[in-house]
Amino acid sequence: MSFSRLSLAPRRIGTARAILVPATLVLAALPIAGTDARAQATDDGVTLPELSVVGEPGRGGFGVASPQGSAASVIERPVGQVVTQVGRDGTIANRPATNIGSVLLDSPGITVRQGNGARDVVISIRGNNARSTGVTKNMVVLEDGFILTQPDGASRFDLVDPRAYGRIDVFRGPQSALFGNYATGGALAFRTRTGREIDGYEVGIDAGSFGYLSNSFTVGGVSGPVEISLFASDARGNGYQNHSSYDTQTINLLASYTPTPDNRFTLKVINNEVNADLPARSSLDQFRINPYQRGCATAATAAPGCTLTGLFANGAYGARIPVTADEGGFGRKDRRTIVAARWEHDIDAQTTWRTQLGFDERNFNQPFYTTSSRGSYPSWNFLTDLTRRGDLFGLPAVGYVALAYNTIDNHITTFNRAPYGGPTLGALIGEQEAVQSNLGGRARTEVALSDQWTGVLGISAENTTITGRSVAYGYSASGRTTTVATTDRSFLNVAPELALVYRPNAAWAFRGRAATGYTTPAASNLFVTPAGLPGNNTRLQTQENLGFDLGTDWTPTENLRLSLTGFYEFFRNELVSQSPGAGLLSYTFNAPASEHRGIEFAADWAFSPGWRAVAAYTFDDQIYTRYVEQLSAGTFTNRFDRAGNAIPGVPAHQLLARIGYDQPTGPLAGLGAYVEAVFQDGFFIDNANQLKAPGYTIVNANVHYAADLTGGYAKRISLYAEVRNVFDETYLSSAQNLANSLNATSGLQNGAASLAATTGSVFAGAPRNVVAGMRLSF
């Protein structure tokens, strides 16, 4: 993506020149020894105020306890970025967080949707993934500096257990200059607790409504040059919907070895197993009648509002038999394994070189609804970068250059489902093999222009190649037909970034940023047709966006932090996914032009001893500005102009508000409680804006206690209990966008009533439930 293609002016700028100018400035800063600018750059760095206590400010590296003074990773509090830091104290440590979504709501710009089973959630930043109901796209996810997003852009949060983390950074807005492909919405950077933070071991247990039980174990410490932290958990439950029981196990290891002050080695290992039953997604009409799909064990005795899915009686074609989720055996049995290592070397006092390599394999067996997908996605991630603190034209500067390469090998088979007998497979309907690779470079310079002004210039250039083949099979009484689709695509994208920060004093910071992002289609997008079946969709283009941020941060005292950011983003060929009907695969199309604009506000106020109030508000208005949709049915074909319509799946208003009290002194020190409200506006679920999913407000209440123990073997105890959805509101937590359709008899577009009766869309949110837990530290 060249900058000129997204700029408001039509003139073109040569790609080579666009890369050469900022890269030359970065490289000019690298070899010149000079003033140690890291402290200056860090002090001038403007991020969204930390909404909770974070790790030690003196830490050098991200995910490894490197010596004091070593160069920080580029993602550690970068200057000019719009970043929220969600810490452990007050957010993770004192609540039974069953999934990462409840923690991330502390950041403005975050939208959470219920995923497919267990603790799987779909996260979006600034609404860029809010219309997805399965895999998270349009962001890059990292953990301890290692990339968790696979090279096809897919991220999942089954493997993410909130209790393992000490801090989470939320990068908002286009971030491809810093993170490369897929960072059109932003990035998430998870940081596990290090061995020295744990310093011993902990055992924890949480239990609650609907058979929820979670056991966890954490151990960590330092011995000479070795530091290790290990987290393991087992979580299971019956689920609050019919046919939604699950169990999932996670192991998360972070180990570092520092043989000399100039060399640090880090090992990262994650393994997650998930085995989950999936309830059927209902229509909006069924949600209103039977939101939790109760009394839906068998089709013959199904209660009103039960969702039934039609499976081919012979598993191939012809008559269908309606079955419930139990009868169809809908579910997931997936495994994710990540093994990665990094070497950090301080070339001199101002220069650090890092090289890391990771293997990431996603193995899945998913008998979803009318089809079942089985496959393996092994991938490799390589990154090498150089960070140097020095002078640029006599000004303190931090320079960064990086080379990144990643590749994924996709193998998928798709079968029809057959009724009864558990997850019975029918006929093979698709085979897909594809290789996707991304090769690119990045460069970034942070320059202290004066005591009050800091400038940032960055750029990335990346080439993506996708080669693959999909074979689709169709069945009828006359036999089997075969359709072959192949692709050999190459995408070259360029993403510049420019930021300027003005800090007149310690209390105020003003920032402006212009940045670009790109997301190439994945191989899986290229081989699902608008009919929701394996086939040819290989003409998809790269999604590109140009975003402008203006914001201010005000910290008049250490007890009050306020932040306000306005953003306006212009999209070209936005990738939008939707469902063509119940049980079918979601397909992806390009909307030629669209705009996202909004406001993000965050507040953290300790207004009296022990009292604290937190708020995170987002206004996000997203519209198509150029998109004509063609619909066909029978002998009719009509085109509909969607320009000016809201992009489906994105709520305009979201708010988290929390107020709490923690006793600071006396015999009850460590006892606390809070109440929070989570509000989400309604949102359209179709391109014609005919049907709107209802908004909601839920209230959660928490009480917790933590104290140091003396005279015994245990060092510390933490107790907590939480009532979620206190007022037992029935609300919608996930809705698959639905395709509009024509009436085959009249040729007119079907209305809201037709959409509301279409199954395969809605999951209800959890009713009132209670979860309590305990953690002992030794």
Side-chain angles (χ1 to χ4, degrees), residues 561-595:
R561 301 183 181 97
L562 301 176
S563 179
L564 181 65
T565 302
F567 63 89
Y568 210 122
E569 299 176 9
F570 298 88
F571 276 74
R572 177 188 176 94
N573 291 323
E574 183 168 6
L575 293 167
V576 181
S577 61
Q578 63 187 25
S579 170
L584 297 171
L585 300 172
S586 294
Y587 73 94
T588 302
F589 64 91
N590 285 120
S594 52
E595 294 179 6

PDB file of all heavy atoms in Angstrom, residues 561-595:
ATOM      1  N   ARG A 561      -5.915  10.765  36.248  1.00  0.00           N
ATOM      2  CA  ARG A 561      -5.411  10.649  34.890  1.00  0.00           C
ATOM      3  C   ARG A 561      -6.602  10.682  33.937  1.00  0.00           C
ATOM      4  O   ARG A 561      -7.540   9.904  34.081  1.00  0.00           O
ATOM      5  CB  ARG A 561      -4.632   9.342  34.690  1.00  0.00           C
ATOM      6  CG  ARG A 561      -3.442   9.172  35.611  1.00  0.00           C
ATOM      7  CD  ARG A 561      -2.693   7.880  35.285  1.00  0.00           C
ATOM      8  NE  ARG A 561      -1.568   7.690  36.173  1.00  0.00           N
ATOM      9  CZ  ARG A 561      -1.593   6.937  37.268  1.00  0.00           C
ATOM     10  NH1 ARG A 561      -2.705   6.307  37.607  1.00  0.00           N
ATOM     11  NH2 ARG A 561      -0.520   6.788  38.019  1.00  0.00           N
ATOM     12  N   LEU A 562      -6.549  11.582  32.974  1.00  0.00           N
ATOM     13  CA  LEU A 562      -7.603  11.705  31.969  1.00  0.00           C
ATOM     14  C   LEU A 562      -6.972  11.663  30.585  1.00  0.00           C
ATOM     15  O   LEU A 562      -5.881  12.198  30.372  1.00  0.00           O
ATOM     16  CB  LEU A 562      -8.385  13.011  32.142  1.00  0.00           C
ATOM     17  CG  LEU A 562      -9.089  13.257  33.479  1.00  0.00           C
ATOM     18  CD1 LEU A 562      -9.716  14.647  33.496  1.00  0.00           C
ATOM     19  CD2 LEU A 562     -10.144  12.196  33.731  1.00  0.00           C
ATOM     20  N   SER A 563      -7.668  11.059  29.654  1.00  0.00           N
ATOM     21  CA  SER A 563      -7.178  11.000  28.279  1.00  0.00           C
ATOM     22  C   SER A 563      -8.353  11.099  27.314  1.00  0.00           C
ATOM     23  O   SER A 563      -9.409  10.506  27.540  1.00  0.00           O
ATOM     24  CB  SER A 563      -6.418   9.697  28.041  1.00  0.00           C
ATOM     25  OG  SER A 563      -5.965   9.630  26.717  1.00  0.00           O
ATOM     26  N   LEU A 564      -8.150  11.858  26.240  1.00  0.00           N
ATOM     27  CA  LEU A 564      -9.174  12.025  25.213  1.00  0.00           C
ATOM     28  C   LEU A 564      -8.499  11.937  23.852  1.00  0.00           C
ATOM     29  O   LEU A 564      -7.512  12.629  23.591  1.00  0.00           O
ATOM     30  CB  LEU A 564      -9.877  13.370  25.363  1.00  0.00           C
ATOM     31  CG  LEU A 564     -11.003  13.674  24.352  1.00  0.00           C
ATOM     32  CD1 LEU A 564     -12.166  12.702  24.536  1.00  0.00           C
ATOM     33  CD2 LEU A 564     -11.471  15.111  24.500  1.00  0.00           C
ATOM     34  N   THR A 565      -9.034  11.072  22.981  1.00  0.00           N
ATOM     35  CA  THR A 565      -8.477  10.881  21.648  1.00  0.00           C
ATOM     36  C   THR A 565      -9.601  10.893  20.626  1.00  0.00           C
ATOM     37  O   THR A 565     -10.617  10.219  20.802  1.00  0.00           O
ATOM     38  CB  THR A 565      -7.720   9.535  21.536  1.00  0.00           C
ATOM     39  OG1 THR A 565      -6.674   9.501  22.512  1.00  0.00           O
ATOM     40  CG2 THR A 565      -7.127   9.358  20.151  1.00  0.00           C
ATOM     41  N   GLY A 566      -9.414  11.672  19.575  1.00  0.00           N
ATOM     42  CA  GLY A 566     -10.314  11.638  18.434  1.00  0.00           C
ATOM     43  C   GLY A 566      -9.618  10.976  17.260  1.00  0.00           C
ATOM     44  O   GLY A 566      -8.424  11.203  17.031  1.00  0.00           O
ATOM     45  N   PHE A 567     -10.336  10.135  16.512  1.00  0.00           N
ATOM     46  CA  PHE A 567      -9.718   9.449  15.379  1.00  0.00           C
ATOM     47  C   PHE A 567     -10.632   9.513  14.159  1.00  0.00           C
ATOM     48  O   PHE A 567     -11.853   9.568  14.276  1.00  0.00           O
ATOM     49  CB  PHE A 567      -9.394   7.983  15.723  1.00  0.00           C
ATOM     50  CG  PHE A 567     -10.579   7.114  16.033  1.00  0.00           C
ATOM     51  CD1 PHE A 567     -11.247   6.416  15.025  1.00  0.00           C
ATOM     52  CD2 PHE A 567     -11.040   6.982  17.337  1.00  0.00           C
ATOM     53  CE1 PHE A 567     -12.328   5.598  15.313  1.00  0.00           C
ATOM     54  CE2 PHE A 567     -12.129   6.180  17.641  1.00  0.00           C
ATOM     55  CZ  PHE A 567     -12.775   5.482  16.622  1.00  0.00           C
ATOM     56  N   TYR A 568     -10.002   9.523  13.004  1.00  0.00           N
ATOM     57  CA  TYR A 568     -10.712   9.510  11.716  1.00  0.00           C
ATOM     58  C   TYR A 568      -9.889   8.639  10.778  1.00  0.00           C
ATOM     59  O   TYR A 568      -8.737   8.959  10.481  1.00  0.00           O
ATOM     60  CB  TYR A 568     -10.851  10.923  11.154  1.00  0.00           C
ATOM     61  CG  TYR A 568     -12.087  11.121  10.294  1.00  0.00           C
ATOM     62  CD1 TYR A 568     -13.025  12.092  10.605  1.00  0.00           C
ATOM     63  CD2 TYR A 568     -12.308  10.340   9.160  1.00  0.00           C
ATOM     64  CE1 TYR A 568     -14.165  12.274   9.825  1.00  0.00           C
ATOM     65  CE2 TYR A 568     -13.439  10.515   8.378  1.00  0.00           C
ATOM     66  CZ  TYR A 568     -14.362  11.483   8.712  1.00  0.00           C
ATOM     67  OH  TYR A 568     -15.483  11.661   7.931  1.00  0.00           O
ATOM     68  N   GLU A 569     -10.492   7.557  10.293  1.00  0.00           N
ATOM     69  CA  GLU A 569      -9.768   6.602   9.468  1.00  0.00           C
ATOM     70  C   GLU A 569     -10.499   6.377   8.144  1.00  0.00           C
ATOM     71  O   GLU A 569     -11.721   6.185   8.127  1.00  0.00           O
ATOM     72  CB  GLU A 569      -9.593   5.269  10.207  1.00  0.00           C
ATOM     73  CG  GLU A 569      -8.796   5.407  11.510  1.00  0.00           C
ATOM     74  CD  GLU A 569      -8.707   4.112  12.284  1.00  0.00           C
ATOM     75  OE1 GLU A 569      -9.117   3.065  11.728  1.00  0.00           O
ATOM     76  OE2 GLU A 569      -8.231   4.137  13.431  1.00  0.00           O
ATOM     77  N   PHE A 570      -9.739   6.414   7.058  1.00  0.00           N
ATOM     78  CA  PHE A 570     -10.270   6.200   5.716  1.00  0.00           C
ATOM     79  C   PHE A 570      -9.832   4.811   5.248  1.00  0.00           C
ATOM     80  O   PHE A 570      -8.639   4.513   5.208  1.00  0.00           O
ATOM     81  CB  PHE A 570      -9.748   7.267   4.750  1.00  0.00           C
ATOM     82  CG  PHE A 570     -10.150   8.669   5.122  1.00  0.00           C
ATOM     83  CD1 PHE A 570      -9.368   9.422   5.998  1.00  0.00           C
ATOM     84  CD2 PHE A 570     -11.309   9.237   4.604  1.00  0.00           C
ATOM     85  CE1 PHE A 570      -9.726  10.709   6.350  1.00  0.00           C
ATOM     86  CE2 PHE A 570     -11.670  10.526   4.960  1.00  0.00           C
ATOM     87  CZ  PHE A 570     -10.891  11.265   5.830  1.00  0.00           C
ATOM     88  N   PHE A 571     -10.805   3.978   4.885  1.00  0.00           N
ATOM     89  CA  PHE A 571     -10.533   2.605   4.464  1.00  0.00           C
ATOM     90  C   PHE A 571     -10.747   2.456   2.968  1.00  0.00           C
ATOM     91  O   PHE A 571     -11.657   3.052   2.389  1.00  0.00           O
ATOM     92  CB  PHE A 571     -11.442   1.616   5.192  1.00  0.00           C
ATOM     93  CG  PHE A 571     -10.945   1.212   6.550  1.00  0.00           C
ATOM     94  CD1 PHE A 571     -11.025   2.087   7.617  1.00  0.00           C
ATOM     95  CD2 PHE A 571     -10.391  -0.044   6.754  1.00  0.00           C
ATOM     96  CE1 PHE A 571     -10.568   1.718   8.863  1.00  0.00           C
ATOM     97  CE2 PHE A 571      -9.929  -0.423   7.996  1.00  0.00           C
ATOM     98  CZ  PHE A 571     -10.019   0.454   9.063  1.00  0.00           C
ATOM     99  N   ARG A 572      -9.915   1.626   2.380  1.00  0.00           N
ATOM    100  CA  ARG A 572     -10.052   1.255   0.977  1.00  0.00           C
ATOM    101  C   ARG A 572     -10.087  -0.271   0.917  1.00  0.00           C
ATOM    102  O   ARG A 572      -9.247  -0.949   1.508  1.00  0.00           O
ATOM    103  CB  ARG A 572      -8.866   1.799   0.165  1.00  0.00           C
ATOM    104  CG  ARG A 572      -8.840   1.427  -1.305  1.00  0.00           C
ATOM    105  CD  ARG A 572      -7.509   1.870  -1.914  1.00  0.00           C
ATOM    106  NE  ARG A 572      -7.371   1.454  -3.292  1.00  0.00           N
ATOM    107  CZ  ARG A 572      -7.681   2.203  -4.349  1.00  0.00           C
ATOM    108  NH1 ARG A 572      -8.160   3.425  -4.144  1.00  0.00           N
ATOM    109  NH2 ARG A 572      -7.506   1.756  -5.562  1.00  0.00           N
ATOM    110  N   ASN A 573     -11.077  -0.824   0.215  1.00  0.00           N
ATOM    111  CA  ASN A 573     -11.239  -2.281   0.088  1.00  0.00           C
ATOM    112  C   ASN A 573     -11.336  -2.972   1.451  1.00  0.00           C
ATOM    113  O   ASN A 573     -10.708  -4.009   1.686  1.00  0.00           O
ATOM    114  CB  ASN A 573     -10.089  -2.896  -0.724  1.00  0.00           C
ATOM    115  CG  ASN A 573     -10.131  -2.498  -2.179  1.00  0.00           C
ATOM    116  OD1 ASN A 573     -11.206  -2.386  -2.772  1.00  0.00           O
ATOM    117  ND2 ASN A 573      -8.966  -2.263  -2.770  1.00  0.00           N
ATOM    118  N   GLU A 574     -12.146  -2.403   2.340  1.00  0.00           N
ATOM    119  CA  GLU A 574     -12.298  -3.004   3.660  1.00  0.00           C
ATOM    120  C   GLU A 574     -12.838  -4.433   3.536  1.00  0.00           C
ATOM    121  O   GLU A 574     -13.798  -4.698   2.810  1.00  0.00           O
ATOM    122  CB  GLU A 574     -13.229  -2.169   4.526  1.00  0.00           C
ATOM    123  CG  GLU A 574     -13.360  -2.710   5.939  1.00  0.00           C
ATOM    124  CD  GLU A 574     -14.031  -1.749   6.893  1.00  0.00           C
ATOM    125  OE1 GLU A 574     -14.515  -0.683   6.443  1.00  0.00           O
ATOM    126  OE2 GLU A 574     -14.081  -2.051   8.100  1.00  0.00           O
ATOM    127  N   LEU A 575     -12.191  -5.357   4.241  1.00  0.00           N
ATOM    128  CA  LEU A 575     -12.604  -6.757   4.232  1.00  0.00           C
ATOM    129  C   LEU A 575     -13.732  -6.947   5.235  1.00  0.00           C
ATOM    130  O   LEU A 575     -13.550  -6.734   6.442  1.00  0.00           O
ATOM    131  CB  LEU A 575     -11.418  -7.659   4.592  1.00  0.00           C
ATOM    132  CG  LEU A 575     -10.288  -7.700   3.557  1.00  0.00           C
ATOM    133  CD1 LEU A 575      -9.047  -8.364   4.142  1.00  0.00           C
ATOM    134  CD2 LEU A 575     -10.737  -8.426   2.285  1.00  0.00           C
ATOM    135  N   VAL A 576     -14.896  -7.331   4.748  1.00  0.00           N
ATOM    136  CA  VAL A 576     -16.083  -7.504   5.578  1.00  0.00           C
ATOM    137  C   VAL A 576     -16.569  -8.941   5.422  1.00  0.00           C
ATOM    138  O   VAL A 576     -16.648  -9.457   4.307  1.00  0.00           O
ATOM    139  CB  VAL A 576     -17.201  -6.521   5.174  1.00  0.00           C
ATOM    140  CG1 VAL A 576     -18.422  -6.699   6.070  1.00  0.00           C
ATOM    141  CG2 VAL A 576     -16.697  -5.084   5.247  1.00  0.00           C
ATOM    142  N   SER A 577     -16.871  -9.597   6.540  1.00  0.00           N
ATOM    143  CA  SER A 577     -17.354 -10.978   6.494  1.00  0.00           C
ATOM    144  C   SER A 577     -18.801 -11.035   6.956  1.00  0.00           C
ATOM    145  O   SER A 577     -19.240 -10.234   7.786  1.00  0.00           O
ATOM    146  CB  SER A 577     -16.484 -11.879   7.376  1.00  0.00           C
ATOM    147  OG  SER A 577     -16.524 -11.460   8.722  1.00  0.00           O
ATOM    148  N   GLN A 578     -19.542 -11.996   6.412  1.00  0.00           N
ATOM    149  CA  GLN A 578     -20.923 -12.191   6.815  1.00  0.00           C
ATOM    150  C   GLN A 578     -21.352 -13.609   6.477  1.00  0.00           C
ATOM    151  O   GLN A 578     -20.683 -14.327   5.737  1.00  0.00           O
ATOM    152  CB  GLN A 578     -21.851 -11.176   6.159  1.00  0.00           C
ATOM    153  CG  GLN A 578     -21.921 -11.258   4.654  1.00  0.00           C
ATOM    154  CD  GLN A 578     -22.729 -10.120   4.046  1.00  0.00           C
ATOM    155  OE1 GLN A 578     -22.869  -9.049   4.619  1.00  0.00           O
ATOM    156  NE2 GLN A 578     -23.269 -10.346   2.859  1.00  0.00           N
ATOM    157  N   SER A 579     -22.492 -14.011   7.048  1.00  0.00           N
ATOM    158  CA  SER A 579     -23.003 -15.362   6.851  1.00  0.00           C
ATOM    159  C   SER A 579     -24.080 -15.365   5.772  1.00  0.00           C
ATOM    160  O   SER A 579     -24.982 -14.523   5.799  1.00  0.00           O
ATOM    161  CB  SER A 579     -23.593 -15.902   8.159  1.00  0.00           C
ATOM    162  OG  SER A 579     -24.297 -17.094   7.935  1.00  0.00           O
ATOM    163  N   PRO A 580     -24.037 -16.317   4.840  1.00  0.00           N
ATOM    164  CA  PRO A 580     -25.111 -16.423   3.848  1.00  0.00           C
ATOM    165  C   PRO A 580     -26.303 -17.220   4.345  1.00  0.00           C
ATOM    166  O   PRO A 580     -27.306 -17.325   3.635  1.00  0.00           O
ATOM    167  CB  PRO A 580     -24.430 -17.145   2.681  1.00  0.00           C
ATOM    168  CG  PRO A 580     -23.399 -17.997   3.332  1.00  0.00           C
ATOM    169  CD  PRO A 580     -22.932 -17.236   4.559  1.00  0.00           C
ATOM    170  N   GLY A 581     -26.211 -17.792   5.547  1.00  0.00           N
ATOM    171  CA  GLY A 581     -27.337 -18.561   6.069  1.00  0.00           C
ATOM    172  C   GLY A 581     -26.914 -19.509   7.160  1.00  0.00           C
ATOM    173  O   GLY A 581     -25.726 -19.640   7.480  1.00  0.00           O
ATOM    174  N   ALA A 582     -27.874 -20.184   7.750  1.00  0.00           N
ATOM    175  CA  ALA A 582     -27.640 -21.032   8.909  1.00  0.00           C
ATOM    176  C   ALA A 582     -26.657 -22.152   8.583  1.00  0.00           C
ATOM    177  O   ALA A 582     -26.824 -22.874   7.605  1.00  0.00           O
ATOM    178  CB  ALA A 582     -28.964 -21.632   9.389  1.00  0.00           C
ATOM    179  N   GLY A 583     -25.630 -22.267   9.428  1.00  0.00           N
ATOM    180  CA  GLY A 583     -24.707 -23.382   9.329  1.00  0.00           C
ATOM    181  C   GLY A 583     -23.683 -23.285   8.227  1.00  0.00           C
ATOM    182  O   GLY A 583     -22.778 -24.116   8.143  1.00  0.00           O
ATOM    183  N   LEU A 584     -23.770 -22.294   7.338  1.00  0.00           N
ATOM    184  CA  LEU A 584     -22.837 -22.179   6.230  1.00  0.00           C
ATOM    185  C   LEU A 584     -21.589 -21.409   6.658  1.00  0.00           C
ATOM    186  O   LEU A 584     -21.581 -20.705   7.657  1.00  0.00           O
ATOM    187  CB  LEU A 584     -23.516 -21.477   5.048  1.00  0.00           C
ATOM    188  CG  LEU A 584     -24.713 -22.228   4.447  1.00  0.00           C
ATOM    189  CD1 LEU A 584     -25.441 -21.339   3.442  1.00  0.00           C
ATOM    190  CD2 LEU A 584     -24.262 -23.526   3.786  1.00  0.00           C
ATOM    191  N   LEU A 585     -20.531 -21.558   5.873  1.00  0.00           N
ATOM    192  CA  LEU A 585     -19.286 -20.868   6.160  1.00  0.00           C
ATOM    193  C   LEU A 585     -19.447 -19.366   5.921  1.00  0.00           C
ATOM    194  O   LEU A 585     -20.119 -18.946   4.966  1.00  0.00           O
ATOM    195  CB  LEU A 585     -18.170 -21.410   5.276  1.00  0.00           C
ATOM    196  CG  LEU A 585     -17.850 -22.906   5.411  1.00  0.00           C
ATOM    197  CD1 LEU A 585     -16.867 -23.328   4.330  1.00  0.00           C
ATOM    198  CD2 LEU A 585     -17.300 -23.214   6.794  1.00  0.00           C
ATOM    199  N   SER A 586     -18.825 -18.547   6.762  1.00  0.00           N
ATOM    200  CA  SER A 586     -18.816 -17.105   6.516  1.00  0.00           C
ATOM    201  C   SER A 586     -17.904 -16.806   5.331  1.00  0.00           C
ATOM    202  O   SER A 586     -16.858 -17.430   5.161  1.00  0.00           O
ATOM    203  CB  SER A 586     -18.318 -16.359   7.750  1.00  0.00           C
ATOM    204  OG  SER A 586     -19.221 -16.500   8.821  1.00  0.00           O
ATOM    205  N   TYR A 587     -18.313 -15.846   4.510  1.00  0.00           N
ATOM    206  CA  TYR A 587     -17.482 -15.456   3.379  1.00  0.00           C
ATOM    207  C   TYR A 587     -17.089 -13.992   3.528  1.00  0.00           C
ATOM    208  O   TYR A 587     -17.668 -13.232   4.309  1.00  0.00           O
ATOM    209  CB  TYR A 587     -18.205 -15.689   2.060  1.00  0.00           C
ATOM    210  CG  TYR A 587     -19.331 -14.717   1.766  1.00  0.00           C
ATOM    211  CD1 TYR A 587     -19.121 -13.580   1.002  1.00  0.00           C
ATOM    212  CD2 TYR A 587     -20.619 -14.944   2.255  1.00  0.00           C
ATOM    213  CE1 TYR A 587     -20.143 -12.689   0.732  1.00  0.00           C
ATOM    214  CE2 TYR A 587     -21.654 -14.061   1.993  1.00  0.00           C
ATOM    215  CZ  TYR A 587     -21.407 -12.939   1.225  1.00  0.00           C
ATOM    216  OH  TYR A 587     -22.432 -12.052   0.976  1.00  0.00           O
ATOM    217  N   THR A 588     -16.088 -13.586   2.757  1.00  0.00           N
ATOM    218  CA  THR A 588     -15.499 -12.256   2.880  1.00  0.00           C
ATOM    219  C   THR A 588     -15.594 -11.527   1.547  1.00  0.00           C
ATOM    220  O   THR A 588     -15.407 -12.129   0.483  1.00  0.00           O
ATOM    221  CB  THR A 588     -14.026 -12.365   3.313  1.00  0.00           C
ATOM    222  OG1 THR A 588     -13.948 -13.071   4.553  1.00  0.00           O
ATOM    223  CG2 THR A 588     -13.400 -10.999   3.472  1.00  0.00           C
ATOM    224  N   PHE A 589     -15.882 -10.211   1.607  1.00  0.00           N
ATOM    225  CA  PHE A 589     -15.899  -9.388   0.404  1.00  0.00           C
ATOM    226  C   PHE A 589     -15.207  -8.065   0.702  1.00  0.00           C
ATOM    227  O   PHE A 589     -14.990  -7.705   1.867  1.00  0.00           O
ATOM    228  CB  PHE A 589     -17.337  -9.147  -0.080  1.00  0.00           C
ATOM    229  CG  PHE A 589     -18.197  -8.365   0.878  1.00  0.00           C
ATOM    230  CD1 PHE A 589     -18.283  -6.991   0.797  1.00  0.00           C
ATOM    231  CD2 PHE A 589     -18.932  -9.018   1.874  1.00  0.00           C
ATOM    232  CE1 PHE A 589     -19.074  -6.265   1.679  1.00  0.00           C
ATOM    233  CE2 PHE A 589     -19.721  -8.307   2.754  1.00  0.00           C
ATOM    234  CZ  PHE A 589     -19.793  -6.926   2.654  1.00  0.00           C
ATOM    235  N   ASN A 590     -14.848  -7.338  -0.360  1.00  0.00           N
ATOM    236  CA  ASN A 590     -14.241  -6.009  -0.226  1.00  0.00           C
ATOM    237  C   ASN A 590     -15.301  -4.929  -0.368  1.00  0.00           C
ATOM    238  O   ASN A 590     -16.032  -4.902  -1.368  1.00  0.00           O
ATOM    239  CB  ASN A 590     -13.189  -5.775  -1.309  1.00  0.00           C
ATOM    240  CG  ASN A 590     -11.897  -6.524  -1.074  1.00  0.00           C
ATOM    241  OD1 ASN A 590     -11.509  -7.341  -1.896  1.00  0.00           O
ATOM    242  ND2 ASN A 590     -11.218  -6.250   0.014  1.00  0.00           N
ATOM    243  N   ALA A 591     -15.397  -4.035   0.608  1.00  0.00           N
ATOM    244  CA  ALA A 591     -16.188  -2.811   0.458  1.00  0.00           C
ATOM    245  C   ALA A 591     -15.238  -1.742  -0.072  1.00  0.00           C
ATOM    246  O   ALA A 591     -14.238  -1.428   0.576  1.00  0.00           O
ATOM    247  CB  ALA A 591     -16.780  -2.386   1.793  1.00  0.00           C
ATOM    248  N   PRO A 592     -15.505  -1.162  -1.240  1.00  0.00           N
ATOM    249  CA  PRO A 592     -14.513  -0.295  -1.896  1.00  0.00           C
ATOM    250  C   PRO A 592     -14.030   0.880  -1.051  1.00  0.00           C
ATOM    251  O   PRO A 592     -12.835   1.189  -1.053  1.00  0.00           O
ATOM    252  CB  PRO A 592     -15.251   0.197  -3.148  1.00  0.00           C
ATOM    253  CG  PRO A 592     -16.242  -0.881  -3.425  1.00  0.00           C
ATOM    254  CD  PRO A 592     -16.683  -1.381  -2.087  1.00  0.00           C
ATOM    255  N   ALA A 593     -14.930   1.536  -0.311  1.00  0.00           N
ATOM    256  CA  ALA A 593     -14.500   2.680   0.491  1.00  0.00           C
ATOM    257  C   ALA A 593     -15.404   2.818   1.710  1.00  0.00           C
ATOM    258  O   ALA A 593     -16.627   2.641   1.615  1.00  0.00           O
ATOM    259  CB  ALA A 593     -14.526   3.966  -0.335  1.00  0.00           C
ATOM    260  N   SER A 594     -14.801   3.146   2.830  1.00  0.00           N
ATOM    261  CA  SER A 594     -15.549   3.324   4.073  1.00  0.00           C
ATOM    262  C   SER A 594     -14.775   4.241   4.998  1.00  0.00           C
ATOM    263  O   SER A 594     -13.589   4.516   4.776  1.00  0.00           O
ATOM    264  CB  SER A 594     -15.806   1.972   4.753  1.00  0.00           C
ATOM    265  OG  SER A 594     -14.603   1.243   4.910  1.00  0.00           O
ATOM    266  N   GLU A 595     -15.458   4.725   6.016  1.00  0.00           N
ATOM    267  CA  GLU A 595     -14.839   5.631   6.985  1.00  0.00           C
ATOM    268  C   GLU A 595     -15.190   5.197   8.394  1.00  0.00           C
ATOM    269  O   GLU A 595     -16.327   4.779   8.659  1.00  0.00           O
ATOM    270  CB  GLU A 595     -15.312   7.072   6.760  1.00  0.00           C
ATOM    271  CG  GLU A 595     -14.870   7.669   5.442  1.00  0.00           C
ATOM    272  CD  GLU A 595     -15.378   9.095   5.244  1.00  0.00           C
ATOM    273  OE1 GLU A 595     -15.980   9.654   6.201  1.00  0.00           O
ATOM    274  OE2 GLU A 595     -15.174   9.650   4.145  1.00  0.00           O
TER     275      GLU A 595
END
